[in-house]
Amino acid sequence: MAKILTMELFGSDWDTGIVLSNSARRRDLMAAYGFAKAELCYCGFFPPLHRDETFFLVRSTREQTLQDLPNVIAALGAARESEGGEEVEHEARRLERSMCECRRGL
Protein backbone atom coordinates (compact mmCIF):
# COMPACT_ATOMS: atom_id res chain seq x y z
CA MET A 1 0.00 0.00 0.00
CA ALA A 2 2.86 2.37 0.80
CA LYS A 3 4.29 1.89 -2.69
CA ILE A 4 1.02 2.86 -4.34
CA LEU A 5 0.52 5.88 -2.09
CA THR A 6 4.05 7.11 -2.73
CA MET A 7 3.58 6.84 -6.48
CA GLU A 8 0.17 8.48 -6.40
CA LEU A 9 0.81 11.27 -3.89
CA PHE A 10 4.38 12.16 -4.79
CA GLY A 11 4.76 10.91 -8.36
CA SER A 12 7.81 8.84 -7.44
CA ASP A 13 9.70 7.07 -10.22
CA TRP A 14 11.57 4.63 -7.94
CA ASP A 15 10.76 2.41 -4.99
CA THR A 16 13.84 1.70 -2.87
CA GLY A 17 14.78 0.10 0.40
CA ILE A 18 17.56 -1.52 2.38
CA VAL A 19 17.29 -5.06 3.74
CA LEU A 20 19.53 -7.16 5.94
CA SER A 21 21.12 -10.26 4.44
CA ASN A 22 18.91 -12.66 6.43
CA SER A 23 15.85 -11.02 4.85
CA ALA A 24 17.44 -10.89 1.40
CA ARG A 25 18.06 -14.67 1.53
CA ARG A 26 14.37 -15.44 2.06
CA ARG A 27 12.72 -15.74 -1.35
CA ASP A 28 9.22 -15.52 0.12
CA LEU A 29 10.05 -12.29 1.93
CA MET A 30 11.75 -10.73 -1.07
CA ALA A 31 8.76 -11.67 -3.24
CA ALA A 32 6.48 -9.98 -0.72
CA TYR A 33 8.62 -6.84 -0.83
CA GLY A 34 8.23 -6.90 -4.61
CA PHE A 35 11.57 -5.32 -5.56
CA ALA A 36 13.04 -5.99 -9.01
CA LYS A 37 16.74 -5.67 -8.11
CA ALA A 38 18.92 -6.27 -5.06
CA GLU A 39 22.56 -5.19 -4.85
CA LEU A 40 25.16 -5.39 -2.12
CA CYS A 41 25.14 -2.07 -0.33
CA TYR A 42 27.23 -2.46 2.85
CA CYS A 43 29.18 -5.19 4.57
CA GLY A 44 30.79 -4.50 7.92
CA PHE A 45 30.23 -3.76 11.58
CA PHE A 46 26.69 -2.63 12.42
CA PRO A 47 26.60 -1.03 15.90
CA PRO A 48 22.86 -1.52 16.67
CA LEU A 49 23.30 -5.31 16.37
CA HIS A 50 26.85 -5.34 17.79
CA ARG A 51 28.08 -7.56 14.92
CA ASP A 52 29.08 -7.58 11.29
CA GLU A 53 26.13 -7.40 8.95
CA THR A 54 25.46 -7.24 5.23
CA PHE A 55 22.87 -4.92 3.70
CA PHE A 56 21.34 -4.96 0.26
CA LEU A 57 19.91 -2.01 -1.62
CA VAL A 58 16.62 -3.09 -3.21
CA ARG A 59 14.95 -1.08 -5.94
CA SER A 60 12.28 -1.04 -8.62
CA THR A 61 11.21 1.50 -11.20
CA ARG A 62 7.64 2.76 -11.17
CA GLU A 63 6.82 0.47 -14.11
CA GLN A 64 8.39 -2.58 -12.41
CA THR A 65 6.46 -1.86 -9.23
CA LEU A 66 3.15 -1.64 -11.08
CA GLN A 67 3.97 -4.79 -13.03
CA ASP A 68 4.76 -6.74 -9.85
CA LEU A 69 1.73 -5.64 -7.81
CA PRO A 70 -0.52 -8.46 -9.07
CA ASN A 71 2.03 -10.95 -7.65
CA VAL A 72 1.98 -9.15 -4.30
CA ILE A 73 -1.82 -9.22 -4.31
CA ALA A 74 -1.74 -12.95 -5.13
CA ALA A 75 0.65 -13.54 -2.22
CA LEU A 76 -1.75 -11.71 0.08
CA GLY A 77 -4.55 -13.91 -1.23
CA ALA A 78 -2.53 -17.04 -0.52
CA ALA A 79 -1.84 -15.79 3.00
CA ARG A 80 -5.55 -15.15 3.43
CA GLU A 81 -6.35 -18.74 2.45
CA SER A 82 -3.74 -20.24 4.73
CA GLU A 83 -4.54 -17.99 7.71
CA GLY A 84 -8.21 -17.32 7.04
CA GLY A 85 -7.71 -13.68 7.97
CA GLU A 86 -10.35 -11.13 6.97
CA GLU A 87 -7.83 -8.33 7.40
CA VAL A 88 -5.53 -9.83 4.74
CA GLU A 89 -8.47 -10.18 2.33
CA HIS A 90 -9.42 -6.54 2.89
CA GLU A 91 -5.82 -5.44 2.24
CA ALA A 92 -5.66 -7.48 -0.98
CA ARG A 93 -8.85 -5.85 -2.29
CA ARG A 94 -7.60 -2.39 -1.32
CA LEU A 95 -4.28 -2.98 -3.11
CA GLU A 96 -6.07 -4.16 -6.24
CA ARG A 97 -8.27 -1.05 -6.34
CA SER A 98 -5.29 1.24 -5.74
CA MET A 99 -3.26 -0.48 -8.45
CA CYS A 100 -6.02 0.18 -10.99
CA GLU A 101 -6.19 3.84 -9.97
CA CYS A 102 -2.44 4.22 -10.14
CA ARG A 103 -2.21 2.61 -13.61
CA ARG A 104 -4.73 5.15 -14.90
CA GLY A 105 -2.27 7.87 -13.85
CA LEU A 106 0.56 6.55 -16.07
Side-chain angles (χ1 to χ4, degrees), residues 4-6 22 26 31 34 37 39 61 71 74 78 81 92 96 102:
I4 294 168
L5 287 173
T6 301
N22 60 346
R26 292 186 47 199
K37 305 266 185 197
E39 299 176 30
T61 64
N71 297 330
E81 289 173 12
E96 193 168 4
C102 199

Side-chain angles (χ1 to χ4, degrees), residues 49-78:
L49 296 178
H50 305 289
R51 66 174 189 238
D52 285 347
E53 189 56 77
T54 302
F55 291 87
F56 289 85
L57 170 66
V58 290
R59 60 188 165 87
S60 295
T61 64
R62 177 185 183 90
E63 291 78 19
Q64 289 168 325
T65 299
L66 288 171
Q67 182 179 358
D68 198 44
L69 279 174
N71 297 330
V72 173
I73 292 168
L76 284 171

Side-chain angles (χ1 to χ4, degrees), residues 1-54:
M1 192 65 181
K3 293 178 184 207
I4 294 168
L5 287 173
T6 301
M7 286 187 290
E8 187 140 328
L9 295 175
F10 304 107
S12 65
D13 293 324
W14 291 90
D15 183 22
T16 61
I18 296 178
V19 297
L20 293 168
S21 61
N22 60 346
S23 296
R25 287 188 195 120
R26 292 186 47 199
R27 290 181 191 262
D28 61 333
L29 190 55
M30 291 306 292
Y33 285 154
F35 288 105
K37 305 266 185 197
E39 299 176 30
L40 181 63
C41 178
Y42 174 80
C43 187
F45 186 70
F46 186 55
L49 296 178
H50 305 289
R51 66 174 189 238
D52 285 347
E53 189 56 77
T54 302

